[in-house]
Amino acid sequence: MKFDHDLELFYCEDGKVTYGDILEALLAVDADKCDVLLLHTAMNFGTLAKGMKRRELCEIMYDLICQLGVKTLVFPTFTFSFANNEDYDVKNSRSSMGILNEYVRKREDSLRSLDPLLSVCVVGENKALAEVSGDSSLGKGSFYDRLHNTDNVRIAFLGADELVCNTHLHYVEECVRVPYRYHLPMTGNIIDPEGVVRTDTHKLFVTYRDVITGGQREFYDALIRENKMKKVKVGDSSVSCFKEPDIYEHEKKYLEKDTSYFLGEPYDSHPLVKEFEYGGVVTVK
């Protein structure tokens, strides 16, 4: 541990949030009890402590996560490059997944996947998780497919809301082939770590034009009641975690029971029109 347990990182309504508070929360939700940990992050615990710089905060938070002792850490570094009419440069394309994930992307010990839509950075032993294949960012051979077929995996939300940030749901939607989404092929250039450029077509499982997406808080409340998810309030936000197999089965069960469960209204309330707006894409829509 490079930093003091009592180091103040954020100020919130209830007082302050320290290095130790966040570390203890991660341990309380069992984020350390796995071989692979996928982390969705957002620094929403409060306002930055006086004198704290964003770069310094990232270094501290990364050190804090490393204290968990997990063999492999994975951070989403999504760019949706092709959906934004941009080339995907694995070394230089910025992530839209927050400052901590962008910090990890730039680390020399992280390996970034060659997915032009939903890239991830892997740190630690299981670098094979970044070696994606196939032509669908959520289908067979994708990162989420490889993650699902890996043992002892957990997914954590560090200051991020699982209701908004749980991209894993879209993987399960593709697995069960929900009728309100379709495969949209997108073409652009991928620039690999050596600077070699190649043209690629990749598919994203997007919604039809008038489909209204939205999570259901009760879905995660049920996970907590069934002891398949743990969540701890930290400052103005929270830390939560669940096992990948548990969330996979839970999502699949709810989708099979009610196809429109995760939608604002039944998917067939409107004609299913294939229309996609390129540019400004930061989520799977």
Side-chain angles (χ1 to χ4, degrees):
M1 184 182 295
K2 296 180 182 178
F3 303 96
D4 188 81
H5 199 79
D6 296 323
L7 177 63
E8 296 179 7
L9 303 181
F10 301 94
Y11 299 134
C12 62
E13 277 189 15
D14 298 330
K16 62 186 179 181
V17 176
T18 67
Y19 180 105
D21 291 333
I22 299 176
L23 178 56
E24 288 171 8
L26 282 167
L27 294 172
V29 299
D30 296 336
D32 60 321
K33 295 180 179 178
C34 57
D35 292 324
V36 177
L37 181 65
L38 170 65
L39 289 127
H40 292 276
T41 70
M43 300 297 100
N44 293 329
F45 300 109
T47 58
L48 279 182
K50 186 176 181 181
M52 180 71 65
K53 305 297 183 184
R54 289 162 65 90
R55 169 77 185 187
E56 181 186 9
L57 175 66
C58 290
E59 181 183 355
I60 293 168
M61 292 297 293
Y62 182 74
D63 176 80
L64 185 157
I65 292 167
C66 288
Q67 300 309 311
L68 298 174
V70 176
K71 295 177 182 178
T72 304
L73 301 172
V74 186
F75 296 81
T77 54
F78 306 163
T79 61
F80 297 94
S81 296
F82 290 2
N84 291 314
N85 295 311
E86 298 171 352
D87 292 341
Y88 173 59
D89 185 335
V90 68
K91 290 184 69 174
N92 299 304
S93 290
R94 289 180 58 84
S95 166
S96 58
M97 297 293 105
I99 61 171
L100 179 56
N101 296 39
E102 181 67 4
Y103 167 83
V104 175
R105 178 186 76 79
K106 295 178 180 179
R107 289 182 60 89
E108 292 185 2
D109 58 351
S110 72
L111 178 64
R112 194 181 197 186
S113 63
L114 286 174
D115 188 316
L117 299 165
L118 302 180
S119 67
V120 298
C121 274
V122 179
V123 180
E125 292 186 8
N126 193 355
K127 292 290 201 305
L129 285 169
E131 297 171 5
V132 297
S133 61
D135 64 352
S136 173
S137 288
L138 290 165
K140 188 173 179 58
S142 69
F143 161 71
Y144 280 95
D145 184 53
R146 297 179 74 87
L147 190 75
H148 179 61
N149 289 287
T150 300
D151 293 333
N152 200 16
V153 173
R154 289 181 183 261
I155 301 174
F157 298 82
L158 181 61
D161 187 346
E162 60 281 341
L163 185 65
V164 177
C165 301
N166 184 23
T167 307
H168 185 278
L169 170 62
H170 306 313
Y171 163 65
V172 180
E173 287 177 321
E174 180 155 346
C175 287
V176 302
R177 293 292 191 270
V178 294
Y180 51 83
R181 290 184 178 272
Y182 66 98
H183 282 112
L184 177 64
M186 305 177 185
T187 300
N189 293 319
I190 293 178
I191 306 169
D192 72 15
E194 286 70 46
V196 177
V197 181
R198 64 177 173 87
T199 301
D200 179 76
T201 297
H202 231 70
K203 294 185 295 187
L204 191 61
F205 204 42
V206 301
T207 57
Y208 289 92
R209 185 188 64 191
D210 299 315
V211 170
I212 300 173
T213 59
Q216 296 285 351
R217 182 67 66 188
E218 62 193 40
F219 171 82
Y220 297 99
D221 291 342
L223 270 177
I224 293 172
R225 287 196 304 272
E226 296 172 19
N227 200 31
K228 292 183 178 179
M229 171 178 158
K230 293 187 176 182
K231 187 170 184 176
V232 175
K233 185 178 186 301
V234 180
D236 296 335
S237 188
S238 62
V239 172
S240 60
C241 187
F242 42 65
K243 296 177 182 178
E244 192 279 336
D246 286 347
I247 193 66
Y248 178 89
E249 292 301 327
H250 205 67
E251 290 162 341
K252 185 179 178 183
K253 178 178 71 174
Y254 273 68
L255 284 169
E256 290 177 343
K257 183 178 179 180
D258 178 5
T259 303
S260 297
Y261 178 80
F262 293 103
L263 302 180
E265 60 184 25
Y267 74 88
D268 53 1
S269 298
H270 306 280
L272 299 179
V273 178
K274 291 183 178 181
E275 182 177 296
F276 185 84
E277 185 176 347
Y278 287 80
V281 179
V282 295
T283 61
V284 178
K285 61 180 185 177

